Amino acid sequence: MAQSKNQRSENFLGTERLNNSNGRNRATSLRVTLIPGDGVGPEVTSAAVRVLEAAGVHVDWDVQEAGAEALKKRGTAIPESLLNSLRRTRLALKGPLETQVGQGYRSINVYLRKTFNLYANLRPIRSFEGVQSPFRDVDLVVIRESTEDLYAGIEHQVTPGVVESVKVITARASTRIARFAFDYARRHGRKSVTAIHKANIMKLSDGLFLKCARRVANDYADVRYDEQIVDAACMRLVTNPRAFDVLLLENLYGDIVSDLCAGLVGGLGMVPGANYGQKGAIFEAVHGTAPDIAGKNVANPVAAILSGAMLADYIGYQDAASRIRQAVGEVLRAGHVLTPDLGGSATTTQMTDAILSAIGSIEARV
Ligand code: ATP
């Protein structure tokens, strides 16, 4: 990390967080890697940067290329300069990166999570007033293990026409993510953790995941623990999402269930995310590169902006983070300046400007 150990304190996640008394007294800006990414990435990450700056979050951005653009210009999707930057800062705000389907280079997202041991992927799923969605008052958190499972990338052809993909589940990673979920639940006053699995079929791998979760649950008498089979959980999520609080999932189920949950609160443009490790974090929206709308200035910037708010929280600017969330809430509630995915006709820039002006009004009121 670029900062010395004594500048850090244990935070609610059990990971390290900068201790910065709301960022007001920082003499120098903190260096953070900024990965604009592919597709809509540059549009939404620049929106997030503008909002962070307007909210008073002082960051010295180290802008780094990665993904399809980097591959085109520099012959590699993961340039060494990006890895060096992350080794120094251990913090990033990241746009989505293109991953080719069924061919090409390995997912860079997966590579970064594994390389920097960012084992906990956290995605808060929350309804906003003013956003058309199947439910109101959804408020749950998806916590996804993100270093193993089928994402270990171990695949081989046994014989032509027959391939095997290996699902790796370890007691160490399962226990670590379960502890993260229970710590998070306890520190945020969440009432329950639901482990989601398919241990009726994958008795060994998902069975081990559950065994570890149960063992950890015993240490948290104040947090209710239950389990649901993934297919039944999906049905319940789309009929009664309020029945859930913190969801604890392996990597693949976590990926799928996150997108399902995004659909409960207005779509992929609404859900932020963070990848936490013991010594760093990368903040990024749940959505991908959205190639169908890339370059058109119509992407919903909210997911990226709220990911920026999670970064602000992490580096000690809690007041700024809550101003950003409040401003996003006000713009959505007013409903005048919304991007097309939310039923409006505003551009990404116009919606970002509306959020900036809401921040200005909030600051004028305090
Ligand atoms: P990738 O391969 O990078 O995951 P994808 O198109 O498969 O790309 P997403 O990028 O997550 O997956 O997009 C899925 C759908 O959601 C697309 O129709 C896209 O336009 C829409 N979408 C995603 N992000 C946003 C956003 N920020 N604003 C508006 N629509 C979005």
Side-chain angles (χ1 to χ4, degrees), residues 38-40 44 96-101 109 259 266-270 285-294 298-304 339-342 348:
D38 296 320
V40 295
V44 297
L97 296 171
E98 188 181 302
T99 302
Q100 290 167 303
V101 176
N109 304 311
D259 276 29
L268 283 165
M270 298 298 298
V286 168
H287 66 73
T289 55
D292 50 332
I293 55 169
V298 292
N300 181 348
V302 166
T339 45
D341 59 307
L342 298 176
T348 308

Side-chain angles (χ1 to χ4, degrees), residues 259-296:
D259 276 29
L260 181 152
C261 288
L264 300 174
V265 296
L268 283 165
M270 298 298 298
V271 182
N275 305 286
Y276 296 107
Q278 281 302 329
K279 292 184 181 161
I282 295 182
F283 298 83
E284 60 181 332
V286 168
H287 66 73
T289 55
D292 50 332
I293 55 169
K296 296 182 179 160

Side-chain angles (χ1 to χ4, degrees), residues 8-324:
R8 294 180 175 281
S9 64
E10 277 291 298
N11 76 356
F12 60 94
L13 297 160
T15 57
E16 290 172 324
R17 168 161 83 174
L18 295 177
N19 185 7
N20 186 34
S21 44
N22 283 322
R24 294 272 179 225
N25 304 318
R26 189 188 293 289
T28 54
S29 293
L30 179 68
R31 203 153 170 78
V32 177
T33 304
L34 178 68
I35 307 168
D38 296 320
V40 295
E43 297 160 69
V44 297
T45 47
S46 69
V49 166
R50 287 179 67 206
V51 168
L52 284 166
E53 281 168 4
V57 177
H58 303 297
V59 165
D60 177 12
W61 298 106
D62 183 15
V63 182
Q64 293 291 333
E65 277 180 343
E69 276 304 301
L71 183 66
K72 226 184 291 164
K73 286 196 212 152
R74 304 164 69 167
T76 170
I78 315 174
E80 198 50 35
S81 57
L82 163 71
L83 297 176
N84 284 335
S85 172
L86 289 170
R87 280 183 201 114
R88 282 192 304 272
T89 65
R90 300 260 176 108
L91 271 177
L93 180 64
K94 174 181 160 303
L97 296 171
E98 188 181 302
T99 302
Q100 290 167 303
V101 176
Q103 54 167 5
Y105 54 83
R106 270 186 72 188
S107 163
I108 309 161
N109 304 311
V110 173
Y111 179 84
L112 292 178
R113 286 177 199 151
K114 285 192 78 169
T115 304
F116 293 95
N117 207 8
L118 303 172
Y119 65 91
N121 183 208
L122 188 145
R123 294 162 164 185
I125 312 282
R126 229 187 98 201
S127 304
F128 279 94
E129 215 183 304
V131 175
Q132 288 265 334
S133 58
F135 297 96
R136 283 173 177 208
D137 305 324
V138 175
D139 180 14
L140 55 88
V141 178
V142 172
I143 294 181
R144 163 188 177 197
E145 202 292 324
S146 42
T147 60
E148 53 183 33
D149 191 1
L150 281 158
Y151 285 66
I154 306 169
E155 291 190 305
H156 52 258
Q157 179 174 286
V158 180
T159 186
V162 181
V163 297
E164 285 181 348
S165 296
V166 179
K167 169 163 172 156
V168 178
I169 297 293
T170 66
R172 185 175 161 272
S174 303
T175 302
R176 181 173 64 173
I177 194 68
R179 200 160 286 290
F180 180 97
F182 277 93
D183 277 344
Y184 179 89
R186 177 177 278 172
R187 287 170 207 238
H188 284 80
R190 297 264 172 187
K191 294 196 168 34
S192 71
V193 171
T194 304
I196 293 180
H197 65 94
K198 191 78 183 172
N200 51 334
I201 303 299
M202 279 159 280
K203 294 175 197 289
L204 280 183
S205 53
D206 286 16
L208 176 61
F209 186 79
L210 284 187
K211 204 185 287 174
C212 296
R214 285 175 197 158
R215 215 175 281 145
V216 171
N218 286 335
D219 296 337
Y220 296 81
D222 49 325
V223 181
R224 202 173 66 242
Y225 171 69
D226 62 357
E227 296 168 354
Q228 280 188 34
I229 295 177
V230 62
D231 40 346
C234 287
M235 201 277 293
R236 226 168 139 214
L237 276 164
V238 298
T239 51
N240 184 18
R242 288 180 216 98
F244 293 89
D245 201 346
V246 174
L247 309 187
L248 167 63
L249 306 102
E250 291 168 8
N251 209 343
L252 180 62
Y253 307 146
D255 185 26
I256 297 165
V257 168
S258 295
D259 276 29
L260 181 152
C261 288
L264 300 174
V265 296
L268 283 165
M270 298 298 298
V271 182
N275 305 286
Y276 296 107
Q278 281 302 329
K279 292 184 181 161
I282 295 182
F283 298 83
E284 60 181 332
V286 168
H287 66 73
T289 55
D292 50 332
I293 55 169
K296 296 182 179 160
N297 196 20
V298 292
N300 181 348
V302 166
I305 289 170
L306 293 177
S307 303
M310 291 174 85
L311 164 68
D313 253 335
Y314 186 81
I315 61 176
Y317 289 90
Q318 289 83 15
D319 284 354
S322 67
R323 280 197 297 277
I324 293 170

